[in-house]
Amino acid sequence: MTTDIDADKREAELCKGRFSNLTGPGYCPAVWDKVLCWPPTQQGSLTSQSCPSNQHGLDSSRFVWKKCLESGRWEGEGEVGWTNYTTCYGPEMLQLYRKLYSGSSPEMKISIAQRTRTLEIVGFSVSLAALIVSLAIFSHFRVLRNNRTKIHKNLFVAMVAQVVIRLTLYIDQAIIRSKTTKTQGIDNTPILCEASYVLLEYARTAMFMWMFIEGLYLHNVVTVRVFQETFRYRLYICVGWGLPLVMTTAWAASIASKMKTKCWWGYNLTPYFWILEGPRFAVILLNFLFLLNIIRVLIVKLRESHTSEVERVRKAVRAAVVLLPLLGITNIVNMMEAPLDRQVWEFAVWSYTTHFLTSFQGLFIAVLYCFLNGEVRTAIRKSIYTYLSLRPNQFTPRRNSAYVSVGSTRPPEPQPETRV
């Protein structure tokens, strides 16, 4: 198996061999800086190249430069020196790296981010299984086919689409970015990579829109009686699937005309991302207001039923906790800016909390609104009871028809012997 060190040594030898006839006094030697091969350069001068197109976050339309000192050595420490790749980054990426390296222990923060990717893969895998089982349950039992579960199913489909795309991209990145293999995949294929992220953002936006519909429908059922008679399913379909398509198309067109980096790396740091993130944040805010009003109505009804104060508070808190994942309010943590310039423990708390809530959200919703739902449990219990009650009859031995006919017929009585 080829190691990173062996690969770098081989590239360095190839770089020096390419310019072996140009090396001489008054020049800095040809060097490989682990990204680009730099030719021999005259002392006291600068040399430049186009920024590499195969590196994430670098704009290939810009230039990277390297300085040869008067002493005949490259600027910086060691034989290779220092290469100024900062010119290849846009302002958003430069600000990100400045924040990362201005704080304490940037290497530990990068290690934490890598470990949280493993947490995400586990969480999304578990959520995917739970969501698929929930969709199968909602689709199988006719007694569960009502207005509420119609909305649930659309939300679950949007979440499944997002999880499948995320897992595909994560697994593809793990294979492509490993140093031991050079495989063609999504991560290093132009257009396919960008299209995958467009689909991801569409699915994520659709998930938020269906969370808004969940909040709106629940709020209207609980607080506004007149809406209980009207179920505008076609309107919900347009809002849940059509509106995200319009927003995602507008965002993709804007970002495609501005981003020059490979696979739009760092697109979530640009102002254009607010074309999608703004409506998502508005959904969380509206659902939070819906939640407050639902809790208010619940407390009023509990007071009318002369329930004790402790019981009222307990039921209100339980209702709030149960509704938080369904209405998407837990996603507010993911929208907060990463504390890259803070202490390591602060970044770790933010990173693990954010990715845990995001990746396991599908599991939480499936458990609370399917597996623990009273109607679902009743339907499953009846189905199991019916299956078990019919099952013994399948193993009852059946008599052979010939045996039955013989066994049910009286044998003929013997006739008295007749003598001639």
Side-chain angles (χ1 to χ4, degrees):
M1 184 180 294
T2 304
T3 63
D4 297 350
I5 297 176
D6 294 335
D8 288 336
K9 286 182 178 180
R10 186 174 63 253
E11 292 291 344
E13 291 173 359
L14 290 173
C15 181
K16 290 180 179 180
R18 193 183 310 168
F19 301 101
S20 58
N21 59 336
L22 298 178
T23 303
Y27 283 83
C28 289
V31 291
W32 166 258
D33 66 356
K34 298 184 179 181
V35 178
L36 293 175
C37 176
W38 293 90
T41 303
Q42 190 174 8
Q43 295 176 358
S45 62
L46 294 173
T47 181
S48 63
Q49 298 186 56
S50 296
C51 295
S53 60
N54 60 344
Q55 297 291 321
H56 288 274
L58 301 184
D59 186 351
S60 59
S61 65
R62 301 188 181 195
F63 292 90
V64 55
W65 57 268
K66 196 171 181 67
K67 184 177 182 180
C68 179
L69 301 176
E70 295 288 347
S71 60
R73 295 178 60 85
W74 292 106
E75 182 183 29
E77 298 180 358
E79 181 185 355
V80 177
W82 175 72
T83 307
N84 184 16
Y85 282 98
T86 58
T87 55
C88 296
Y89 293 98
E92 294 83 13
M93 290 304 305
L94 283 177
Q95 182 181 2
L96 177 68
Y97 282 117
R98 288 194 186 104
K99 291 185 65 177
L100 175 62
Y101 287 95
S102 64
S104 60
S105 305
E107 294 80 9
M108 290 186 64
K109 294 175 183 175
I110 294 174
S111 177
I112 291 171
Q114 293 172 344
R115 288 197 294 269
T116 53
R117 174 57 58 87
T118 304
L119 173 65
E120 281 188 283
I121 293 176
V122 173
F124 281 128
S125 300
V126 174
S127 294
L128 178 61
L131 290 169
I132 291 176
V133 172
S134 299
L135 282 171
I137 292 173
F138 284 143
S139 302
H140 178 72
F141 295 102
R142 291 187 177 181
V143 69
L144 300 177
R145 297 175 187 177
N146 50 48
N147 294 337
R148 187 178 67 259
T149 55
K150 283 182 180 179
I151 299 177
H152 286 350
K153 287 167 65 176
N154 280 277
L155 173 61
F156 287 12
V157 168
M159 297 185 75
V160 165
Q162 183 207 184
V163 170
V164 168
I165 297 172
R166 278 191 183 275
L167 286 175
T168 303
L169 290 172
Y170 288 171
I171 295 172
D172 178 81
Q173 289 172 3
I175 297 173
I176 299 302
R177 297 182 187 180
S178 63
K179 301 297 184 180
T180 58
T181 181
K182 292 184 178 179
T183 309
Q184 193 70 21
I186 298 174
D187 192 58
N188 53 10
T189 303
I191 300 178
L192 178 61
C193 187
E194 289 83 352
S196 299
Y197 282 101
V198 171
L199 290 176
L200 174 63
E201 296 302 333
Y202 170 72
R204 190 162 182 261
T205 306
M207 179 189 73
F208 273 86
M209 289 299 108
W210 281 105
M211 286 178 175
F212 166 71
I213 294 171
E214 290 273 9
L216 177 65
Y217 178 77
L218 182 62
H219 177 267
N220 290 340
V221 168
V222 173
T223 63
V224 187
R225 296 282 182 179
V226 68
F227 283 92
Q228 293 188 24
E229 302 298 330
T230 306
F231 184 69
R232 298 180 174 88
Y233 188 60
R234 291 184 179 179
L235 177 61
Y236 293 158
I237 291 291
C238 292
V239 174
W241 297 110
L243 189 57
L245 180 62
V246 174
M247 293 190 298
T248 307
T249 303
W251 166 76
S254 301
I255 206 72
S257 62
K258 300 296 181 180
M259 292 288 289
K260 303 298 181 182
T261 58
K262 178 185 176 183
C263 205
W264 297 345
W265 200 82
Y267 66 80
N268 58 316
L269 303 174
T270 63
Y272 302 99
F273 191 57
W274 280 96
I275 297 176
L276 299 176
E277 200 74 347
R280 294 170 186 167
F281 184 79
V283 164
I284 293 178
L285 180 61
L286 287 172
N287 277 352
F288 181 70
L289 296 177
F290 289 155
L291 178 62
L292 292 179
N293 199 30
I294 290 171
I295 294 174
R296 181 190 64 82
V297 173
L298 177 62
I299 292 175
V300 170
K301 291 182 178 180
L302 290 173
R303 285 179 178 174
E304 293 175 353
S305 62
H306 305 290
T307 310
S308 66
E309 187 67 26
V310 176
E311 184 67 15
R312 285 200 298 267
V313 173
R314 189 181 66 83
K315 289 186 177 181
V317 171
R318 184 175 61 184
V321 171
V322 168
L323 289 174
L324 282 176
L326 181 69
L327 303 183
I329 298 174
T330 53
N331 288 277
I332 194 66
V333 182
N334 191 38
M335 294 183 176
M336 295 171 59
E337 187 178 1
L340 292 172
D341 54 347
R342 308 294 289 272
Q343 296 295 322
V344 175
W345 70 268
E346 295 179 85
F347 176 78
V349 170
W350 174 87
S351 184
Y352 286 116
T353 303
T354 298
H355 294 96
F356 176 79
L357 292 176
T358 302
S359 60
F360 284 94
Q361 184 178 31
L363 174 65
F364 299 151
I365 292 179
V367 169
L368 292 174
Y369 298 97
C370 181
F371 302 148
L372 297 182
N373 182 272
E375 296 179 12
V376 172
R377 295 172 67 180
T378 301
I380 294 176
R381 193 181 298 113
K382 288 183 178 179
S383 177
I384 294 175
Y385 176 79
T386 303
Y387 174 75
L388 293 177
S389 63
L390 295 175
R391 188 174 180 180
N393 297 332
Q394 299 176 1
F395 297 96
T396 302
R398 296 182 179 179
R399 301 181 185 181
N400 187 281
S401 58
Y403 171 80
V404 173
S405 61
V406 172
S408 60
T409 305
R410 294 182 61 186
E413 297 181 0
Q415 299 293 329
E417 185 178 355
T418 306
R419 295 188 179 187
V420 179

